[in-house]
């Protein structure tokens, strides 16, 4: 019985260390203020699963250039699809 609890405790410790490593990598790969970095580190380590979901929605910083690049890529894909669709409709 003691052996089983020891394995469970070690597994939780390993998962906690992996979570902290991923949190450090996730937060420090983007440029932000020190206060914001430490706040996200705290959220990601205290709330492992929920913290990453919150970070995906609120913590990622997209610049205006990235947003416009995404919008233009979507517009280009939509236009290509519409041209393809019109060419298929024109054949029938």
């Amino acid at each position: 019985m003691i052996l089983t609890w020891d394995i469970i405790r070690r597994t939780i410790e390993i998962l906690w260390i992996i979570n902290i490593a991923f949190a450090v990598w996730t937060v420090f790969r983007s440029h932000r203020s020190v206060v914001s970095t430490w706040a996200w580190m705290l959220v990601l380590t205290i709330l492992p699963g929920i913290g990453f979901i919150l970070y995906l929605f609120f913590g990622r910083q997209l610049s205006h250039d990235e947003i416009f690049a995404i919008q233009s890529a979507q517009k280009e894909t939509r236009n290509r699809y519409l041209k393809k669709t019109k060419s298929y409709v024109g054949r029938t």
Side-chain angles (χ1 to χ4, degrees):
M1 188 69 164
I2 294 174
L3 183 64
T4 323
W5 287 111
D6 189 45
I7 292 172
I8 291 171
R9 185 177 58 86
R10 294 285 182 191
T11 305
I12 290 172
E13 287 173 355
I14 290 170
L15 289 175
W16 193 262
I17 290 170
I18 291 171
N19 177 56
I20 290 173
F22 277 125
V24 167
W25 178 75
T26 301
V27 172
F28 282 109
R29 69 185 171 130
S30 61
H31 300 287
R32 60 178 74 232
S33 69
V34 175
V35 174
S36 177
T37 300
W38 280 108
W40 280 114
M41 285 297 300
L42 185 67
V43 169
L44 290 172
T45 53
I46 291 177
L47 305 169
I50 298 168
F52 275 109
I53 293 170
L54 289 172
Y55 182 79
L56 289 176
F57 283 111
F58 301 113
R60 296 180 63 210
Q61 295 177 337
L62 291 177
S63 67
H64 292 291
D65 295 336
E66 290 174 335
I67 291 171
F68 289 126
I70 291 169
Q71 287 177 345
S72 65
Q74 288 175 344
K75 187 175 182 179
E76 182 180 322
T77 303
R78 184 176 54 243
N79 288 340
R80 227 180 312 127
Y81 177 75
L82 286 173
K83 285 180 184 178
K84 218 181 250 188
T85 306
K86 286 179 184 179
S87 69
Y88 287 138
V89 171
R91 290 183 190 172
T92 60

